[in-house]
Amino acid sequence: RLQADFDNAKRRAELEREQATARAKADVLKPLLGMADNFERARQSIKPQTPGEAAVHDAYQALAGQLEAFLKWQGLEPVGGEGEVFDPNLHEAVMREDRDDVPDGTVTGVFQKGYRLGELLVRPALVKVAYS
């Protein structure tokens, strides 16, 4: 009985240590998500017209790719894509949309990607949700 209690305490301490490590890692990576969002907004809104503009666009998109690869390497996974069923554990609804072509509660737009680190939600996705 004493050995079982010791093993349980040891497992619990290891789990708490892993969770604390994940939270600390998420706290360090979270500010980088804003930069990733800005790169994504720039990619969507800027349409280069000249070769010079295209060169600058390609250069900062290369940086965006490196940042995205780094975040993925650190274990961050995007959550909350369009077409998913709304889940309040992963999504934050910021808008509702009257739609008849999709079921109620379907995510119809993503304003900001959400991310998770393993089981830890780092940031919920900001989404638009259908209703009828």
Side-chain angles (χ1 to χ4, degrees):
R1 170 87 178 135
L2 185 60
Q3 183 64 38
D5 288 344
F6 176 75
D7 290 341
N8 287 337
K10 189 175 173 182
R11 275 193 295 272
R12 191 170 39 255
E14 179 63 27
L15 179 62
E16 288 172 2
R17 189 172 28 259
E18 288 173 4
Q19 289 173 342
T21 300
R23 283 191 302 272
K25 190 175 186 179
D27 288 344
V28 170
L29 294 174
K30 195 171 187 177
L32 296 176
L33 298 179
M35 288 194 303
D37 293 338
N38 289 336
F39 277 124
E40 179 64 22
R41 285 184 201 102
R43 185 185 64 75
Q44 290 176 354
S45 65
I46 296 175
K47 305 298 183 222
Q49 302 295 320
T50 67
E53 290 173 354
V56 170
H57 180 76
D58 292 345
Y60 75 75
Q61 286 307 306
L63 290 173
Q66 289 175 348
L67 177 60
E68 187 176 309
F70 173 75
L71 294 174
K72 188 173 186 175
W73 178 66
Q74 290 298 313
L76 279 178
E77 302 171 358
V79 297
E82 197 167 322
E84 293 180 1
V85 174
F86 178 78
D87 179 352
N89 297 312
L90 300 176
H91 306 104
E92 184 175 330
V94 294
M95 181 183 268
R96 291 179 54 180
E97 181 177 39
D98 188 11
R99 300 264 304 256
D100 294 328
D101 59 328
V102 294
D104 278 357
T106 300
V107 173
T108 57
V110 178
F111 298 108
Q112 186 179 66
K113 279 196 257 186
Y115 288 92
R116 91 165 112 214
L117 184 63
E119 295 299 313
L120 176 66
L121 184 66
V122 177
R123 181 179 79 181
L126 301 181
V127 299
K128 177 171 38 171
V129 181
Y131 75 96
S132 55

